[in-house]
């Protein structure tokens, strides 16, 4: 049998398992009954063990070895081989028993987190979290020992979400960002004129909000024939396949904006998943090269687009039609300012664009210390609260809105948080590039012609998939290397206007 065909068949099987596991995660966080969590943990563990077996199979290793030497294959095939080899090396290094234990630990932690977060009981969650951190460290140690090119356990974990990125490279970017954000926040606090947001304080019926989010999805270009929206406590996107992209949102009837921005955020992820080249479907090329670039797509639509004046020039009439009594006093300028209020708060997911990255920095510092052993899980709440006070000036009344607010650590997604900040930086670079490429960029958004931006993103970001690294993709699209300046320029321009600085 043709070696390439044999390799491709194995890749498709691994991708099938990815899809099935994705569907199960989606189910667990949307509709699965609570009582099913125990058996579900075992289902997950069994499937993950099978996927591990497939990736670690010596036959796959032998095929990769031969195919890597075949220079006649061309660059796409070579990229696919390298992609699978990358995944394979991380699996081969980890004993199957550890894979299974970690999958079970994550399922148990997720269930414990859901209950403990609601009542703010960190002690109930602590042993589960400790277990996830210990097993994740063991996994990172195994991978690090096999690879040898990592300088810290944290880099092993970071590399999973941001291939090639290191904490040492991130640190100067993040500290430069932190300094500028603290300055901007200080200017806003001391000299700014706060926007009026009293018209956002009413009640916004659930059914109207749900209908509105579906309308937004269709308008932006999320293909509902190849995807769907449901609800979950912590919204997410999960691509079962390129033709079945699941996104979720959440609705609060005392908050008109939460569902809108969640839906748009996840639509950005979802449209990326739907935007890979048709001929790559089911293969390792139809993948984002990093989670940072994935987050750039969600953050671009959520912030650069949906928190712009142009966007609300288009949508405020519809919003006022939907909620006529609540929004009677709003005009475009006041609404634009109201959706860009800067207020240091407890929750990352409700944070504005100025303070958001300060939340990420705190998590980056803490998870690095937890992985590095400088901080114990038992001391996490105190360390969290101390940093919240220092960086943002707020104190969580309980750990449910403190160190337990995010799903990531319970899920074992340790080393993920920097992807959000990278996403913000990439998004600013991409939007500035779109403005340069499209003279009437903001006019198209004001007229609701979102296909122009989506088309540009399809061509410049989505279609290349795994062929280019995240940094290469953004550099090719924007003509500049990863930098904080475009993001800071964008923030300063926007918030000088919003806060009349
Ligand atoms: Zn996201």
């Amino acid at each position: 049998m043709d070696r390439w065909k044999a390799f491709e068949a194995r890749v498709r099987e691994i991708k099938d398992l990815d899809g099935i596991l994705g569907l199960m995660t989606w189910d667990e966080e949307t509709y699965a009954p609570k009582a099913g969590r125990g058996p579900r943990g075992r289902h997950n563990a069994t499937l993950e063990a099978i996927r591990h077996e497939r990736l670690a199979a010596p036959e796959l290793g032998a095929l990769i070895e031969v195919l890597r030497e075949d220079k006649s294959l061309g660059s796409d095939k070579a990229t696919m081989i390298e992609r699978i080899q990358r995944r394979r090396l991380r699996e081969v290094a980890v004993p199957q028993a550890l894979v299974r234990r970690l999958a079970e630990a994550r399922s148990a932690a997720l269930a414990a987190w859901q209950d403990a977060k609601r009542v703010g009981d960190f002690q109930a969650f602590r042993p589960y979290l400790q277990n996830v951190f210990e097993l994740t460290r063991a996994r990172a140690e195994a991978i690090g020992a096999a690879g040898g090119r990592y300088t810290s356990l944290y880099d092993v974990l970071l590399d999973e979400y941001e291939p090639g990125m290191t904490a040492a490279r991130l640190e100067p970017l993040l500290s430069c960002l932190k300094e500028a954000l603290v300055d901007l926040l200080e200017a806003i606090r001391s000299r700014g004129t706060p926007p009026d947001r009293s018209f956002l304080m009413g009640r916004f019926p659930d059914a109207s909000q749900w209908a509105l989010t579906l309308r937004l999805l269709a308008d932006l270009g999320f293909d509902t024939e190849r995807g769907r929206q449901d609800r979950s406590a912590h919204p997410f996107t999960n691509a079962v396949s390129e033709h079945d992209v699941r996104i979720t949102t959440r609705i609060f009837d005392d908050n008109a904006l939460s569902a809108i921005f969640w839906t748009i955020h996840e639509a950005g992820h979802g449209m990326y998943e739907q935007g890979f080249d048709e001929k790559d479907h089911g293969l390792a090329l139809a993948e984002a090269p990093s989670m940072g670039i994935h987050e750039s797509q969600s953050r671009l639509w959520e912030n650069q687009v949906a928190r712009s004046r142009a966007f609300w020039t288009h949508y405020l009439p519809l919003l006022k039609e939907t909620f006529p009594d609540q929004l009677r006093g709003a005009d475009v300028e006041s609404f634009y300012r109201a959706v860009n209020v800067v207020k240091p708060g407890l929750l990352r997911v409700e944070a504005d664009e100025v303070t958001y990255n300060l939340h990420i920095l705190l998590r980056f510092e803490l998870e690095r210390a937890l992985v590095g052993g400088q901080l114990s899980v038992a001391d996490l709440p105190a360390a969290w609260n101390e940093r919240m006070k220092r960086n943002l000036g707020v104190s969580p009344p309980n750990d449910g809105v403190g160190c337990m607010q995010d799903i990531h650590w319970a899920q074992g997604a340790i080393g993920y948080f920097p992807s959000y900040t990278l996403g913000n930086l990439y998004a600013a670079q991409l939007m500035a590039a779109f403005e340069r490429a499209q003279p009437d960029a903001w006019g198209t958004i004001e007229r609701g012609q979102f296909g122009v931006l989506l088309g540009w993103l399809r061509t410049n970001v989505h279609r290349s998939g795994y062929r280019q690294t995240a940094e290469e993709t953004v550099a090719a699209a924007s003509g500049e290397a990863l930098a904080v300046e475009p993001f800071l320029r964008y923030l300063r321009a926007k918030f000088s206007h919003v806060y009349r600085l």
Side-chain angles (χ1 to χ4, degrees):
M1 191 173 168
D2 180 304
R3 283 204 182 87
W4 174 258
K5 285 228 170 68
F7 171 76
E8 202 180 290
R10 283 175 180 274
V11 171
R12 284 193 190 274
E13 196 181 41
I14 290 162
K15 296 291 290 178
D16 288 345
L17 290 166
D18 290 343
I20 296 164
L21 276 158
L23 180 60
M24 283 169 50
T25 305
W26 170 84
D27 175 66
E28 208 170 352
E29 289 174 39
T30 50
Y31 297 109
K34 207 171 147 179
R37 283 173 184 167
R40 176 54 60 88
R42 291 198 301 277
H43 298 164
N44 282 337
T46 297
L47 265 176
E48 283 197 31
I50 292 172
R51 181 172 63 181
H52 170 78
E53 222 171 71
R54 295 291 192 274
L55 274 161
E59 295 86 344
L60 178 62
L63 279 170
I64 289 174
E65 223 163 274
V66 177
L67 289 170
R68 281 178 111 183
E69 298 305 315
D70 186 346
K71 301 296 171 218
S72 70
L73 288 176
S75 68
D76 275 3
K77 288 179 176 172
T79 304
M80 247 176 85
I81 294 164
E82 289 319 305
R83 166 63 183 144
I84 295 298
Q85 171 71 350
R86 232 186 96 76
R87 280 186 72 176
R88 184 182 140 74
L89 288 179
R90 295 179 82 89
E91 297 291 330
V92 173
V94 185
Q96 193 176 20
L98 179 55
V99 173
R100 189 178 273 273
R101 279 174 66 205
L102 188 55
E104 278 169 355
R106 286 200 304 251
S107 266
L110 195 60
W113 171 77
Q114 277 164 352
D115 294 336
K117 174 191 153 112
R118 203 164 29 242
V119 291
D121 183 2
F122 182 75
Q123 286 316 314
F125 179 49
R126 190 184 51 77
Y128 295 95
L129 184 63
Q130 206 154 341
N131 203 19
V132 168
F133 265 97
E134 271 164 24
L135 293 170
T136 303
R137 275 181 60 105
R139 183 169 173 274
E141 271 163 12
I143 295 168
R149 64 194 171 86
Y150 299 104
T151 53
S152 72
L153 288 184
Y154 189 77
D155 279 353
V156 178
L157 299 173
L158 183 61
D159 190 64
E160 194 143 326
Y161 308 106
E162 300 300 325
M165 185 54 77
T166 62
R169 267 196 72 209
L170 268 179
E171 241 172 358
L173 280 174
L174 296 183
S175 69
C176 159
L177 189 61
K178 184 176 182 176
E179 207 172 297
L181 291 176
V182 168
D183 283 353
L184 180 58
L185 186 59
E186 186 45 39
I188 288 169
R189 271 171 160 168
S190 59
R191 300 187 275 120
T193 310
D196 169 24
R197 63 194 321 252
S198 55
F199 46 83
L200 292 173
M201 297 305 163
R203 286 276 181 225
F204 300 85
D206 185 289
S208 310
Q209 288 200 49
W210 178 255
L212 187 67
T213 61
L214 293 181
R215 160 79 189 264
L216 284 167
L217 279 180
D219 287 358
L220 295 182
F222 179 83
D223 184 351
T224 46
E225 298 283 308
R226 297 197 292 138
R228 56 177 286 136
Q229 176 178 264
D230 293 270
R231 299 171 190 242
S232 70
H234 185 110
F236 63 92
T237 297
N238 218 321
V240 179
S241 74
E242 296 83 357
H243 295 290
D244 182 359
V245 178
R246 310 287 172 104
I247 67 171
T248 65
T249 192
R250 66 176 182 188
I251 295 176
F252 300 114
D253 71 355
D254 62 349
N255 184 340
L257 299 177
S258 177
I260 290 174
F261 289 118
W262 268 122
T263 289
I264 295 172
H265 179 97
E266 301 305 332
H269 283 302
M271 293 188 292
Y272 187 14
E273 289 288 340
Q274 292 177 336
F276 295 123
D277 203 321
E278 189 98 31
K279 70 179 191 306
D280 297 336
H281 286 185
L283 296 171
L285 291 170
E287 281 178 25
S290 88
M291 287 317 295
I293 197 155
H294 226 306
E295 291 299 341
S296 81
Q297 298 307 288
S298 54
R299 307 286 297 171
L300 182 147
W301 286 101
E302 179 194 352
N303 291 328
Q304 305 268 344
V305 175
R307 289 182 208 272
S308 71
R309 203 177 195 286
F311 186 84
W312 290 107
T313 304
H314 181 69
Y315 275 117
L316 189 61
L318 172 68
L319 213 66
K320 290 182 84 160
E321 219 172 89
T322 315
F323 306 112
D325 297 334
Q326 297 89 328
L327 296 179
R328 190 172 297 120
D331 56 40
V332 171
E333 177 67 10
S334 64
F335 199 84
Y336 166 57
R337 295 185 68 210
V339 300
N340 285 295
V341 163
V342 175
K343 190 170 185 296
L346 296 169
L347 302 178
R348 172 185 66 86
V349 297
E350 305 290 346
D352 56 80
E353 290 180 85
V354 176
T355 57
Y356 186 90
N357 293 293
L358 297 173
H359 287 268
I360 298 300
L361 274 155
L362 171 148
R363 286 155 177 77
F364 169 64
E365 288 166 10
L366 291 178
E367 66 180 9
R368 257 183 103 189
L370 284 163
V371 171
Q374 298 91 343
L375 177 67
S376 72
V377 169
D379 293 333
L380 175 62
W384 180 286
N385 295 346
E386 185 266 319
R387 278 182 167 76
M388 280 302 281
K389 184 85 200 143
R390 181 152 40 96
N391 297 355
L392 287 147
V394 294
S395 299
N398 68 69
D399 296 329
V401 290
C403 67
M404 281 196 292
Q405 64 181 266
D406 294 308
I407 196 170
H408 302 65
W409 292 337
Q411 272 184 326
I414 299 159
Y416 186 101
F417 283 114
S419 296
Y420 290 111
T421 291
L422 288 169
N424 287 328
L425 302 182
Y426 289 146
Q429 292 185 267
L430 291 171
M431 200 62 192
F434 173 65
E435 283 174 20
R436 290 193 294 271
Q438 179 71 35
D440 190 26
W442 290 104
T444 65
I445 288 165
E446 203 172 298
R447 292 188 295 276
Q449 296 161 340
F450 302 110
V452 179
L453 173 58
L454 182 57
W456 187 86
L457 292 170
R458 289 263 190 268
T459 306
N460 290 283
V461 180
H462 303 179
R463 289 225 174 85
S464 64
Y466 203 83
R467 284 181 185 81
Q468 293 174 309
T469 67
E471 292 190 59
E472 283 166 1
T473 304
V474 175
S478 70
E480 51 194 16
L482 171 62
V484 296
E485 266 315 310
F487 179 62
L488 292 175
R489 259 200 305 276
Y490 155 74
L491 284 187
R492 287 187 187 118
K494 180 178 199 171
F495 290 96
S496 296
H497 175 82
V498 168
Y499 275 84
R500 315 287 192 236
L501 295 177

